[in-house]
Amino acid sequence: MENLSRRLFLQKFGIGASTTAVAVLLPSIEMTASSSKLYEGRRLNIALCGLGRYAGYLAEGIVGSQYCRVAGIVTGTPSKAVDWKKKYDIPDASIYNYQNFDEIKKNKDIDMVYVVLPNSMHKEFTIRAAEAGKHVIVEKPMAVTVADCREMIAACKNSGVQLALGYRLHYEPYNLEIKRLGQEKVFGQVRLIEASLGYKSADPNSWRMKKAMAGGGPLMNLGVYCVQCSRYVLGEEPVSVTAQFGPVIDKELFKEVEESITWQLQFPSGAVSTSTSAYNCNIDRFFAAADEGFFELSPAISYGPFKGRTSKGELNFPTINQQGTQCDEIAKVLLDGRKLPDHIRGEEGMQDVRIIQAIYTAARTGKRVSLSHV
Ligand code: NAD
Protein backbone atom coordinates (compact mmCIF):
# COMPACT_ATOMS: atom_id res chain seq x y z
CA MET A 1 0.00 0.00 0.00
CA GLU A 2 2.74 2.39 0.98
CA ASN A 3 4.42 2.11 -2.43
CA LEU A 4 1.23 2.74 -4.33
CA SER A 5 0.12 5.57 -2.11
CA ARG A 6 3.51 7.11 -2.46
CA ARG A 7 3.31 6.74 -6.23
CA LEU A 8 -0.18 8.25 -6.20
CA PHE A 9 1.09 11.07 -4.04
CA LEU A 10 4.06 11.69 -6.29
CA GLN A 11 1.85 11.62 -9.36
CA LYS A 12 -0.59 14.06 -7.84
CA PHE A 13 2.20 16.47 -7.13
CA GLY A 14 3.67 15.95 -10.56
CA ILE A 15 6.86 14.52 -9.13
CA GLY A 16 8.60 11.56 -10.79
CA ALA A 17 8.55 8.46 -8.56
CA SER A 18 12.23 7.88 -9.22
CA THR A 19 13.22 11.30 -7.87
CA THR A 20 14.58 9.99 -4.60
CA ALA A 21 16.20 13.28 -3.65
CA VAL A 22 12.75 14.90 -3.76
CA ALA A 23 11.01 11.95 -2.19
CA VAL A 24 12.93 12.29 1.05
CA LEU A 25 11.55 15.80 1.40
CA LEU A 26 8.01 14.50 1.22
CA PRO A 27 5.98 14.02 4.37
CA SER A 28 5.75 10.49 5.73
CA ILE A 29 3.02 8.29 4.26
CA GLU A 30 1.65 7.52 7.73
CA MET A 31 0.92 11.14 8.49
CA THR A 32 -1.52 12.07 11.23
CA ALA A 33 -4.80 13.77 10.43
CA SER A 34 -3.68 16.95 12.13
CA SER A 35 -0.36 17.23 10.33
CA SER A 36 -1.67 16.59 6.83
CA LYS A 37 -3.89 18.60 4.54
CA LEU A 38 -2.54 17.37 1.23
CA TYR A 39 -6.06 16.86 -0.10
CA GLU A 40 -6.73 20.61 -0.20
CA GLY A 41 -7.32 21.67 -3.80
CA ARG A 42 -7.00 18.11 -5.14
CA ARG A 43 -9.44 15.45 -6.27
CA LEU A 44 -9.51 11.66 -6.15
CA ASN A 45 -10.42 10.29 -9.57
CA ILE A 46 -13.09 7.60 -9.18
CA ALA A 47 -14.34 5.14 -11.80
CA LEU A 48 -17.83 3.83 -11.08
CA CYS A 49 -18.12 0.14 -11.98
CA GLY A 50 -21.76 -0.81 -12.66
CA LEU A 51 -24.13 2.01 -13.62
CA GLY A 52 -27.35 1.01 -11.89
CA ARG A 53 -29.57 2.90 -9.51
CA TYR A 54 -27.11 3.38 -6.68
CA ALA A 55 -24.28 4.40 -9.00
CA GLY A 56 -26.57 7.27 -10.05
CA TYR A 57 -26.84 8.46 -6.43
CA LEU A 58 -23.09 8.12 -6.01
CA ALA A 59 -22.36 10.11 -9.15
CA GLU A 60 -24.62 12.95 -7.98
CA GLY A 61 -22.91 12.89 -4.58
CA ILE A 62 -19.46 12.92 -6.16
CA VAL A 63 -20.39 15.84 -8.43
CA GLY A 64 -21.31 17.83 -5.32
CA SER A 65 -18.20 16.69 -3.43
CA GLN A 66 -15.07 18.70 -2.76
CA TYR A 67 -12.34 16.12 -3.22
CA CYS A 68 -13.63 13.58 -5.77
CA ARG A 69 -14.40 13.41 -9.46
CA VAL A 70 -16.42 10.97 -11.59
CA ALA A 71 -13.40 10.24 -13.75
CA GLY A 72 -14.38 6.96 -15.39
CA ILE A 73 -17.10 4.38 -15.88
CA VAL A 74 -17.36 0.63 -16.37
CA THR A 75 -20.56 -0.61 -17.97
CA GLY A 76 -21.90 -3.45 -20.08
CA THR A 77 -24.50 -1.21 -21.70
CA PRO A 78 -23.18 1.00 -24.56
CA SER A 79 -26.15 3.41 -24.35
CA LYS A 80 -25.37 4.11 -20.70
CA ALA A 81 -21.78 4.88 -21.68
CA VAL A 82 -23.06 7.53 -24.12
CA ASP A 83 -25.38 9.10 -21.52
CA TRP A 84 -22.83 9.12 -18.71
CA LYS A 85 -20.05 10.43 -20.96
CA LYS A 86 -22.23 13.41 -21.80
CA LYS A 87 -23.55 14.02 -18.31
CA TYR A 88 -20.23 13.71 -16.44
CA ASP A 89 -17.80 14.77 -19.16
CA ILE A 90 -15.93 11.47 -19.16
CA PRO A 91 -13.20 11.02 -21.80
CA ASP A 92 -13.47 7.97 -24.10
CA ALA A 93 -10.16 6.69 -22.71
CA SER A 94 -11.78 6.28 -19.28
CA ILE A 95 -14.84 4.32 -20.42
CA TYR A 96 -14.60 0.54 -20.00
CA ASN A 97 -16.80 -2.50 -20.35
CA TYR A 98 -16.60 -5.65 -18.22
CA GLN A 99 -14.31 -7.37 -20.74
CA ASN A 100 -11.67 -4.68 -21.28
CA PHE A 101 -11.85 -3.39 -17.68
CA ASP A 102 -8.33 -4.67 -16.86
CA GLU A 103 -6.89 -2.07 -19.24
CA ILE A 104 -7.69 0.48 -16.52
CA LYS A 105 -4.27 -0.47 -15.17
CA LYS A 106 -2.69 1.81 -17.78
CA ASN A 107 -4.99 4.72 -16.99
CA LYS A 108 -3.18 7.27 -14.84
CA ASP A 109 -6.33 9.38 -14.64
CA ILE A 110 -8.13 6.85 -12.43
CA ASP A 111 -7.11 6.45 -8.77
CA MET A 112 -9.92 4.33 -7.44
CA VAL A 113 -12.66 1.97 -8.64
CA TYR A 114 -16.05 2.03 -6.91
CA VAL A 115 -17.71 -1.39 -7.35
CA VAL A 116 -21.51 -0.93 -7.47
CA LEU A 117 -22.50 -4.23 -9.05
CA PRO A 118 -24.81 -7.03 -7.85
CA ASN A 119 -23.38 -8.62 -4.68
CA SER A 120 -22.00 -11.80 -6.27
CA MET A 121 -19.89 -9.69 -8.68
CA HIS A 122 -18.17 -7.66 -5.95
CA LYS A 123 -15.40 -10.20 -5.53
CA GLU A 124 -14.36 -10.44 -9.19
CA PHE A 125 -14.32 -6.70 -9.83
CA THR A 126 -12.63 -5.82 -6.55
CA ILE A 127 -9.85 -8.28 -7.33
CA ARG A 128 -9.50 -7.09 -10.93
CA ALA A 129 -9.39 -3.45 -9.79
CA ALA A 130 -6.79 -4.27 -7.16
CA GLU A 131 -4.67 -6.15 -9.68
CA ALA A 132 -4.87 -3.09 -11.91
CA GLY A 133 -3.30 -1.13 -9.05
CA LYS A 134 -6.41 0.89 -8.16
CA HIS A 135 -7.79 1.53 -4.68
CA VAL A 136 -11.29 0.08 -4.27
CA ILE A 137 -14.56 1.03 -2.61
CA VAL A 138 -16.96 -1.89 -2.69
CA GLU A 139 -20.65 -1.63 -1.92
CA LYS A 140 -22.40 -3.55 0.85
CA PRO A 141 -22.65 -6.41 1.46
CA MET A 142 -18.94 -6.85 0.78
CA ALA A 143 -19.48 -10.25 -0.88
CA VAL A 144 -21.70 -13.30 -0.67
CA THR A 145 -19.30 -15.49 1.33
CA VAL A 146 -16.61 -14.97 3.95
CA ALA A 147 -14.15 -16.82 1.70
CA ASP A 148 -14.79 -14.25 -1.06
CA CYS A 149 -14.17 -11.41 1.40
CA ARG A 150 -10.90 -13.01 2.43
CA GLU A 151 -9.76 -13.24 -1.20
CA MET A 152 -10.67 -9.61 -1.82
CA ILE A 153 -8.69 -8.44 1.21
CA ALA A 154 -5.71 -10.55 0.17
CA ALA A 155 -5.80 -9.24 -3.42
CA CYS A 156 -5.79 -5.62 -2.24
CA LYS A 157 -2.99 -6.32 0.20
CA ASN A 158 -0.90 -8.11 -2.44
CA SER A 159 -1.36 -5.24 -4.88
CA GLY A 160 -0.63 -2.58 -2.26
CA VAL A 161 -3.99 -0.83 -2.63
CA GLN A 162 -6.59 0.08 0.00
CA LEU A 163 -10.05 -1.46 0.22
CA ALA A 164 -12.98 0.48 1.64
CA LEU A 165 -16.61 -0.53 2.19
CA GLY A 166 -19.33 1.83 0.99
CA TYR A 167 -20.57 2.21 4.59
CA ARG A 168 -22.12 5.66 4.16
CA LEU A 169 -23.63 5.78 7.69
CA HIS A 170 -20.18 6.07 9.24
CA TYR A 171 -20.21 9.70 8.07
CA GLU A 172 -23.86 10.51 8.82
CA PRO A 173 -24.37 12.81 11.84
CA TYR A 174 -27.36 11.03 13.45
CA ASN A 175 -25.64 7.66 13.20
CA LEU A 176 -22.40 9.14 14.52
CA GLU A 177 -24.41 10.42 17.48
CA ILE A 178 -26.01 7.05 18.34
CA LYS A 179 -22.56 5.49 18.07
CA ARG A 180 -21.26 8.09 20.57
CA LEU A 181 -24.23 7.73 22.91
CA GLY A 182 -23.81 3.96 22.99
CA GLN A 183 -20.04 3.64 23.11
CA GLU A 184 -19.58 6.46 25.65
CA LYS A 185 -22.46 5.06 27.71
CA VAL A 186 -24.05 8.50 27.91
CA PHE A 187 -27.28 6.86 29.12
CA GLY A 188 -25.44 4.04 30.89
CA GLN A 189 -25.00 0.52 29.58
CA VAL A 190 -27.18 -0.27 26.59
CA ARG A 191 -29.22 -3.40 27.34
CA LEU A 192 -31.46 -3.76 24.31
CA ILE A 193 -31.25 -2.60 20.71
CA GLU A 194 -33.98 -2.89 18.14
CA ALA A 195 -32.77 -2.12 14.62
CA SER A 196 -34.85 -3.04 11.60
CA LEU A 197 -34.96 -2.19 7.90
CA GLY A 198 -37.46 -3.33 5.32
CA TYR A 199 -39.17 -2.19 2.16
CA LYS A 200 -41.73 -3.67 -0.18
CA SER A 201 -40.08 -5.38 -3.12
CA ALA A 202 -42.09 -7.00 -5.90
CA ASP A 203 -39.84 -7.22 -8.97
CA PRO A 204 -39.47 -10.90 -9.91
CA ASN A 205 -36.80 -10.01 -12.50
CA SER A 206 -34.49 -8.21 -10.09
CA TRP A 207 -31.10 -9.81 -9.33
CA ARG A 208 -32.04 -9.24 -5.67
CA MET A 209 -34.52 -12.14 -5.96
CA LYS A 210 -31.83 -14.52 -7.28
CA LYS A 211 -29.86 -16.30 -4.60
CA ALA A 212 -26.80 -16.74 -6.81
CA MET A 213 -26.58 -13.00 -7.53
CA ALA A 214 -27.66 -11.55 -4.19
CA GLY A 215 -26.39 -14.23 -1.81
CA GLY A 216 -29.69 -14.04 0.05
CA GLY A 217 -32.71 -11.81 0.53
CA PRO A 218 -33.35 -8.76 2.72
CA LEU A 219 -30.78 -9.89 5.30
CA MET A 220 -27.95 -9.52 2.75
CA ASN A 221 -29.33 -6.30 1.31
CA LEU A 222 -30.77 -4.48 4.34
CA GLY A 223 -29.95 -6.53 7.42
CA VAL A 224 -26.27 -5.76 6.95
CA TYR A 225 -27.03 -2.21 8.16
CA CYS A 226 -28.81 -3.50 11.28
CA VAL A 227 -25.86 -5.77 12.11
CA GLN A 228 -23.49 -2.84 11.52
CA CYS A 229 -25.34 -0.37 13.71
CA SER A 230 -25.75 -2.85 16.57
CA ARG A 231 -22.00 -3.37 16.48
CA TYR A 232 -21.05 0.30 16.27
CA VAL A 233 -23.49 1.48 18.92
CA LEU A 234 -22.29 -1.15 21.40
CA GLY A 235 -18.63 -1.14 20.29
CA GLU A 236 -18.70 -4.90 20.86
CA GLU A 237 -18.68 -8.04 18.73
CA PRO A 238 -21.60 -10.47 19.08
CA VAL A 239 -20.85 -13.81 20.71
CA SER A 240 -23.86 -15.76 19.48
CA VAL A 241 -26.98 -15.49 17.39
CA THR A 242 -30.48 -16.97 17.18
CA ALA A 243 -32.75 -16.36 14.17
CA GLN A 244 -36.07 -17.19 12.57
CA PHE A 245 -37.27 -16.92 8.95
CA GLY A 246 -40.63 -15.17 8.64
CA PRO A 247 -43.56 -16.81 6.84
CA VAL A 248 -43.46 -16.79 3.03
CA ILE A 249 -46.60 -14.89 2.01
CA ASP A 250 -45.79 -14.40 -1.69
CA LYS A 251 -44.70 -17.89 -2.71
CA GLU A 252 -44.27 -16.92 -6.38
CA LEU A 253 -41.88 -14.08 -5.64
CA PHE A 254 -39.85 -15.58 -2.82
CA LYS A 255 -38.74 -18.86 -4.31
CA GLU A 256 -35.00 -18.33 -3.85
CA VAL A 257 -34.51 -15.77 -1.10
CA GLU A 258 -36.23 -15.15 2.23
CA GLU A 259 -39.17 -12.75 2.38
CA SER A 260 -38.29 -11.69 5.92
CA ILE A 261 -36.01 -12.75 8.75
CA THR A 262 -35.71 -11.85 12.43
CA TRP A 263 -32.61 -12.39 14.55
CA GLN A 264 -31.14 -11.73 17.96
CA LEU A 265 -27.44 -10.99 18.55
CA GLN A 266 -26.02 -11.55 22.03
CA PHE A 267 -23.05 -9.38 23.07
CA PRO A 268 -20.37 -9.93 25.76
CA SER A 269 -21.81 -7.14 27.99
CA GLY A 270 -25.12 -9.00 28.08
CA ALA A 271 -26.73 -6.57 25.62
CA VAL A 272 -29.09 -8.07 23.07
CA SER A 273 -29.85 -6.65 19.65
CA THR A 274 -33.01 -7.79 17.88
CA SER A 275 -33.66 -7.02 14.22
CA THR A 276 -35.92 -7.79 11.29
CA SER A 277 -35.15 -7.25 7.65
CA ALA A 278 -37.98 -7.71 5.19
CA TYR A 279 -39.08 -7.31 1.58
CA ASN A 280 -42.78 -7.26 2.54
CA CYS A 281 -43.11 -4.15 4.74
CA ASN A 282 -41.66 -0.70 5.18
CA ILE A 283 -39.65 -0.22 8.35
CA ASP A 284 -36.57 1.91 9.06
CA ARG A 285 -35.83 2.36 12.74
CA PHE A 286 -33.32 2.09 15.56
CA PHE A 287 -34.02 2.05 19.30
CA ALA A 288 -31.60 1.57 22.20
CA ALA A 289 -32.75 1.03 25.80
CA ALA A 290 -29.97 1.85 28.28
CA ASP A 291 -29.82 1.79 32.10
CA GLU A 292 -30.53 5.52 32.43
CA GLY A 293 -32.54 6.35 29.31
CA PHE A 294 -33.08 5.64 25.65
CA PHE A 295 -32.15 6.94 22.21
CA GLU A 296 -33.81 6.29 18.90
CA LEU A 297 -33.87 7.19 15.20
CA SER A 298 -36.59 6.73 12.62
CA PRO A 299 -35.85 6.97 9.75
CA ALA A 300 -32.47 5.65 10.81
CA ILE A 301 -30.74 3.89 7.94
CA SER A 302 -32.09 4.99 4.55
CA TYR A 303 -30.98 8.18 2.79
CA GLY A 304 -32.80 10.43 5.27
CA PRO A 305 -33.71 13.00 6.28
CA PHE A 306 -33.36 11.29 9.65
CA LYS A 307 -35.25 12.04 12.80
CA GLY A 308 -34.27 11.11 16.32
CA ARG A 309 -34.68 11.72 20.02
CA THR A 310 -33.33 10.58 23.34
CA SER A 311 -34.99 10.35 26.77
CA LYS A 312 -33.70 13.92 27.25
CA GLY A 313 -35.10 15.44 24.05
CA GLU A 314 -34.94 15.80 20.27
CA LEU A 315 -31.79 15.18 18.26
CA ASN A 316 -31.11 17.84 15.68
CA PHE A 317 -28.37 17.47 13.09
CA PRO A 318 -27.96 18.74 9.54
CA THR A 319 -29.04 16.54 6.64
CA ILE A 320 -26.01 15.77 4.52
CA ASN A 321 -25.47 14.16 1.14
CA GLN A 322 -24.35 10.78 2.43
CA GLN A 323 -22.70 9.59 -0.77
CA GLY A 324 -20.73 12.78 -1.39
CA THR A 325 -19.62 13.03 2.23
CA GLN A 326 -18.51 9.39 2.33
CA CYS A 327 -16.47 9.78 -0.87
CA ASP A 328 -14.91 13.04 0.35
CA GLU A 329 -13.82 11.52 3.64
CA ILE A 330 -12.27 8.52 1.90
CA ALA A 331 -10.59 10.83 -0.64
CA LYS A 332 -9.05 12.97 2.12
CA VAL A 333 -7.42 9.90 3.65
CA LEU A 334 -6.10 8.54 0.35
CA LEU A 335 -4.89 11.88 -1.00
CA ASP A 336 -3.01 12.30 2.28
CA GLY A 337 -1.39 8.90 1.84
CA ARG A 338 -2.89 7.67 5.11
CA LYS A 339 -4.45 4.33 6.00
CA LEU A 340 -8.23 4.07 5.91
CA PRO A 341 -9.86 3.85 9.35
CA ASP A 342 -10.70 0.35 10.61
CA HIS A 343 -14.47 0.86 10.61
CA ILE A 344 -14.69 1.01 6.79
CA ARG A 345 -11.92 -1.44 5.86
CA GLY A 346 -12.37 -4.86 4.26
CA GLU A 347 -12.05 -6.69 7.58
CA GLU A 348 -15.13 -4.83 8.83
CA GLY A 349 -17.17 -5.87 5.81
CA MET A 350 -15.99 -9.46 6.24
CA GLN A 351 -17.08 -9.48 9.90
CA ASP A 352 -20.59 -8.39 8.83
CA VAL A 353 -20.74 -11.16 6.20
CA ARG A 354 -19.58 -13.67 8.82
CA ILE A 355 -22.38 -12.59 11.17
CA ILE A 356 -24.94 -12.68 8.34
CA GLN A 357 -23.91 -16.25 7.48
CA ALA A 358 -24.29 -17.23 11.15
CA ILE A 359 -27.77 -15.66 11.16
CA TYR A 360 -28.75 -17.79 8.15
CA THR A 361 -27.36 -20.92 9.83
CA ALA A 362 -29.29 -20.16 13.01
CA ALA A 363 -32.53 -19.61 11.06
CA ARG A 364 -32.05 -22.81 9.05
CA THR A 365 -31.16 -25.01 12.02
CA GLY A 366 -33.26 -23.37 14.72
CA LYS A 367 -30.17 -23.50 16.95
CA ARG A 368 -28.09 -20.84 18.68
CA VAL A 369 -24.91 -20.28 16.65
CA SER A 370 -21.72 -19.20 18.33
CA LEU A 371 -19.61 -16.57 16.56
CA SER A 372 -15.85 -16.79 16.45
CA HIS A 373 -13.84 -13.71 15.63
CA VAL A 374 -10.65 -12.97 13.77
P1 NAD B 1 -29.03 -2.06 -9.80
O1 NAD B 1 -29.74 -3.29 -10.20
O2 NAD B 1 -29.76 -0.77 -9.93
O3 NAD B 1 -27.68 -1.93 -10.61
C1 NAD B 1 -26.83 -3.01 -10.85
C2 NAD B 1 -25.92 -2.71 -12.02
O4 NAD B 1 -25.15 -3.86 -12.31
C3 NAD B 1 -26.70 -2.36 -13.31
O5 NAD B 1 -26.07 -1.30 -13.96
C4 NAD B 1 -26.57 -3.62 -14.16
O6 NAD B 1 -26.58 -3.35 -15.54
C5 NAD B 1 -25.19 -4.12 -13.72
N1 NAD B 1 -25.00 -5.54 -13.96
C6 NAD B 1 -23.92 -6.08 -14.52
N2 NAD B 1 -24.02 -7.39 -14.64
C7 NAD B 1 -25.23 -7.72 -14.15
C8 NAD B 1 -25.93 -8.95 -14.03
N3 NAD B 1 -25.39 -10.10 -14.39
N4 NAD B 1 -27.16 -8.91 -13.49
C9 NAD B 1 -27.70 -7.76 -13.06
N5 NAD B 1 -27.09 -6.55 -13.15
C10 NAD B 1 -25.86 -6.55 -13.70
O7 NAD B 1 -28.52 -2.30 -8.30
P2 NAD B 1 -28.09 -1.19 -7.26
O8 NAD B 1 -29.25 -0.85 -6.41
O9 NAD B 1 -27.38 -0.08 -7.93
O10 NAD B 1 -27.09 -2.04 -6.33
C11 NAD B 1 -25.75 -2.28 -6.70
C12 NAD B 1 -24.92 -2.52 -5.45
O11 NAD B 1 -24.98 -1.37 -4.62
C13 NAD B 1 -25.42 -3.69 -4.58
O12 NAD B 1 -24.34 -4.36 -4.03
C14 NAD B 1 -26.23 -3.01 -3.50
O13 NAD B 1 -26.26 -3.74 -2.29
C15 NAD B 1 -25.47 -1.71 -3.33
N6 NAD B 1 -26.33 -0.61 -2.84
C16 NAD B 1 -25.91 0.12 -1.80
C17 NAD B 1 -26.69 1.13 -1.31
C18 NAD B 1 -26.23 1.97 -0.15
O14 NAD B 1 -27.03 2.74 0.37
N7 NAD B 1 -24.97 1.88 0.24
C19 NAD B 1 -27.94 1.40 -1.88
C20 NAD B 1 -28.34 0.63 -2.97
C21 NAD B 1 -27.53 -0.37 -3.44
Side-chain angles (χ1 to χ4, degrees):
M1 181 250 126
E2 274 73 17
N3 284 345
L4 191 104
S5 287
R6 190 158 198 91
R7 233 183 303 132
L8 179 64
F9 173 89
L10 292 165
Q11 275 168 23
K12 286 197 172 294
F13 283 79
I15 301 165
S18 60
T19 320
T20 45
V22 176
V24 290
L25 300 174
L26 295 173
S28 154
I29 287 304
E30 296 299 331
M31 292 166 292
T32 61
S34 55
S35 70
S36 58
K37 281 272 168 59
L38 301 177
Y39 53 80
E40 289 298 354
R42 317 208 67 86
R43 286 188 187 256
L44 189 76
N45 295 310
I46 299 177
L48 289 164
C49 177
L51 303 183
R53 191 163 159 264
Y54 195 59
Y57 289 126
L58 285 167
E60 292 307 313
I62 291 170
V63 165
S65 74
Q66 247 184 301
Y67 303 109
C68 301
R69 175 183 292 125
V70 182
I73 48 173
V74 187
T75 177
T77 314
S79 60
K80 280 190 198 169
V82 173
D83 294 346
W84 279 64
K85 173 184 159 66
K86 212 162 121 194
K87 190 162 180 192
Y88 299 106
D89 195 21
I90 297 166
D92 287 333
S94 296
I95 299 175
Y96 299 89
N97 57 44
Y98 302 125
Q99 286 72 40
N100 69 14
F101 171 59
D102 309 276
E103 288 172 20
I104 204 168
K105 184 175 188 163
K106 297 182 226 138
N107 192 335
K108 300 274 176 282
D109 297 328
I110 307 286
D111 304 316
M112 178 167 231
V113 173
Y114 199 138
V115 179
V116 210
L117 289 162
N119 306 342
S120 65
M121 299 172 75
H122 290 181
K123 172 185 151 183
E124 178 189 338
F125 283 86
T126 295
I127 293 175
R128 287 171 70 182
E131 287 174 349
K134 306 300 176 189
H135 295 297
V136 186
I137 307 182
V138 62
E139 258 314 316
K140 48 54 58 177
M142 182 171 168
V144 293
T145 68
V146 175
D148 284 0
C149 296
R150 206 168 277 125
E151 280 185 57
M152 292 155 76
I153 292 169
C156 290
K157 197 168 170 214
N158 291 342
S159 297
V161 298
Q162 298 212 51
L163 172 59
L165 266 292
Y167 281 162
R168 56 184 165 75
L169 293 176
H170 281 283
Y171 305 101
E172 192 288 313
Y174 284 87
N175 276 267
L176 289 175
E177 179 64 357
I178 60 171
K179 180 176 175 180
R180 185 187 76 81
L181 294 174
Q183 290 199 16
E184 292 181 10
K185 298 189 175 22
V186 173
F187 292 95
Q189 172 66 47
V190 172
R191 301 289 171 192
L192 177 68
I193 287 176
E194 287 183 3
S196 292
L197 186 62
Y199 63 73
K200 290 193 182 197
S201 185
D203 179 2
N205 300 317
S206 168
W207 61 266
R208 288 190 165 87
M209 294 295 167
K210 313 269 183 272
K211 176 112 193 279
M213 295 295 290
L219 174 56
M220 286 298 277
N221 186 22
L222 311 174
V224 61
Y225 288 110
C226 308
V227 168
Q228 261 280 301
C229 80
S230 301
R231 292 176 59 227
Y232 60 65
V233 167
L234 289 166
E236 296 178 53
E237 293 304 323
V239 288
S240 67
V241 57
T242 46
Q244 307 79 37
F245 287 120
V248 182
I249 299 158
D250 190 333
K251 295 194 171 47
E252 266 309 296
L253 199 55
F254 296 99
K255 283 183 182 148
E256 294 192 30
V257 301
E258 77 277 5
E259 186 169 333
S260 68
I261 184 167
T262 299
W263 68 93
Q264 305 78 36
L265 298 176
Q266 289 82 30
F267 289 85
S269 62
V272 174
S273 164
T274 176
S275 298
T276 295
S277 55
Y279 277 160
N280 61 14
C281 67
N282 295 320
I283 183 166
D284 179 359
R285 68 184 217 104
F286 168 90
F287 184 91
D291 280 343
E292 290 140 37
F294 69 84
F295 45 103
E296 67 178 337
L297 303 179
S298 186
I301 296 170
S302 53
Y303 306 141
F306 295 149
K307 217 170 159 222
R309 64 179 183 137
T310 75
S311 40
K312 287 202 171 141
E314 295 291 310
L315 291 173
N316 204 348
F317 293 101
T319 296
I320 58 154
N321 180 294
Q322 294 188 41
Q323 291 76 19
T325 306
Q326 171 204 296
C327 290
D328 263 349
E329 292 305 315
I330 289 173
K332 284 181 351 197
V333 172
L334 292 178
L335 293 172
D336 264 2
R338 284 183 282 126
K339 249 173 127 170
L340 290 168
D342 286 346
H343 56 258
I344 59 155
R345 292 176 71 192
E347 287 76 5
E348 184 75 7
M350 181 163 74
Q351 173 67 348
D352 289 326
V353 174
R354 176 180 292 116
I355 294 167
I356 285 171
Q357 296 306 339
I359 293 170
Y360 277 131
T361 304
R364 263 194 315 269
T365 60
K367 297 207 169 109
R368 177 179 299 272
V369 173
S370 154
L371 286 154
S372 54
H373 308 298
V374 280

